[in-house]
Amino acid sequence: MTTETGQSIDATEITAMPKPNTGWFTASRVVHGLLALTAFVGIAASFYSMQFEPAAAGDKAIRGFAGAFNTLSYFTMWSNITNFIVLILVALNPARNTTFFRWIRLTALVMMTVTGIIYALVLAPLYAGKTFPPMSTLSNDIVHYFMPWATIAAWLVFGPRPRIFAKTFFSVLILPIIWLAFALTRGAVYKHGFRNGDSYPYPFLDVDKLGYAQVTVNILGIAVFGLALAAIYWGLDRLLSRKAIKSSEPLEVTDGSADPTGGA
């Protein structure tokens, strides 16, 4: 395919999004702005709960500043904070297209999906029937149940796309690896502090009980799952991009190499 200036580009890498003056642009700004606000409430509620709310019956997690710091050991917090940054970026410019944005957009999608699925299938059953303080409950409902699926829905509807390419595929593991190093180091240095008196935030990450060999197997399994999700999103991105190109909606076509407004 060629642009109006005669430049030849790959049809899968053009920016197939409506022009800024369309209703789509405004709707995307509003939706992503509201989701960013919701994400902020969920994140703030989690830190507030761990610092100020009294522990529920049987909850051995420490409170105060140390409790708030422990919150950073949860993959859920890393995924939601990363996603919050993405939501703000899209709300400010729904057609954003830079190398950094491509990376952090896919990373947030994968991390939020892992958060939603792992919590629903593995972690939620462990807390069934238990009662937690109001802010803890609010945070849990937002960061585990609402935000993962709302984020995916917003991406499916608004994109922007195409933004997922082969060169950013494996880079989705960068933030999870940093989180893993932080969580394992914290657990090795500072013992206990989590809900069951454990040193690690998740049962499948508990080196004290499982050993490093089993934890490594668990993490590799989740990493493969994350890469599989990235592959699914890559395929959907290409499919939805081609449909947008073929639609009758007026499109803004660029080579996808830069954000027309600059910035991240």
Side-chain angles (χ1 to χ4, degrees):
M1 178 177 289
T2 58
T3 64
E4 292 180 356
T5 60
Q7 179 185 10
S8 178
I9 58 175
D10 185 343
T12 63
E13 295 202 19
I14 68 172
T15 303
M17 304 309 300
K19 294 180 179 180
N21 61 350
T22 65
W24 172 91
F25 226 71
T26 300
S28 183
R29 286 182 187 274
V30 171
V31 169
H32 285 91
L34 291 175
L35 286 178
L37 177 61
T38 305
F40 177 81
V41 170
I43 294 167
S46 181
F47 280 99
Y48 177 90
S49 176
M50 293 304 295
Q51 184 162 4
F52 298 112
E53 281 191 319
D59 186 351
K60 299 179 181 179
I62 58 175
R63 292 300 193 265
F65 177 79
F69 178 76
N70 273 356
T71 302
L72 292 175
S73 293
Y74 288 99
F75 184 83
T76 296
M77 284 298 102
W78 284 63
S79 62
N80 274 271
I81 291 172
T82 302
N83 190 48
F84 171 72
I85 294 172
V86 171
L87 293 171
I88 290 294
L89 291 175
V90 179
L92 293 175
N93 178 12
R96 190 177 298 276
N97 188 17
T98 64
T99 300
F100 171 78
F101 179 75
R102 292 179 181 184
W103 165 70
I104 197 171
R105 177 54 148 173
L106 179 58
T107 298
L109 276 172
V110 170
M111 291 178 71
M112 289 299 289
T113 306
V114 169
T115 293
I117 293 177
I118 295 297
Y119 185 82
L121 297 181
V122 178
L123 301 175
L126 301 178
Y127 305 124
K130 295 184 179 181
T131 302
F132 296 100
M135 294 298 282
S136 177
T137 300
L138 173 65
S139 173
N140 183 63
D141 290 343
I142 292 176
V143 302
H144 287 128
Y145 289 115
F146 177 74
M147 287 307 304
W149 314 120
T151 296
I152 296 171
W155 176 76
L156 288 172
V157 174
F158 295 105
R161 61 182 60 88
R163 296 294 185 273
I164 302 175
F165 305 106
K167 60 185 177 182
T168 60
F169 189 78
F170 288 98
S171 65
V172 298
L173 296 178
I174 292 175
L175 283 183
I177 288 173
I178 295 174
W179 160 78
L180 179 63
F182 174 81
L184 290 177
T185 301
R186 182 256 171 235
V189 173
Y190 186 80
K191 294 298 182 180
H192 312 300
F194 292 100
R195 278 181 174 156
N196 294 322
D198 298 326
S199 303
Y200 299 89
Y202 301 112
F204 55 81
L205 202 67
D206 197 329
V207 175
D208 294 338
K209 295 179 180 179
L210 302 177
Y212 278 104
Q214 184 58 53
V215 167
T216 300
V217 171
N218 295 343
I219 292 302
L220 287 176
I222 295 174
V224 170
F225 177 55
L227 290 175
L229 289 173
I232 291 172
Y233 284 126
W234 175 64
L236 285 172
D237 190 59
R238 291 171 65 89
L239 177 63
L240 294 173
S241 298
R242 287 169 177 161
K243 287 186 176 181
I245 294 169
K246 293 177 181 179
S247 72
S248 58
E249 181 75 33
L251 301 176
E252 178 183 30
V253 180
T254 73
D255 64 0
S257 62
D259 181 347
T261 64

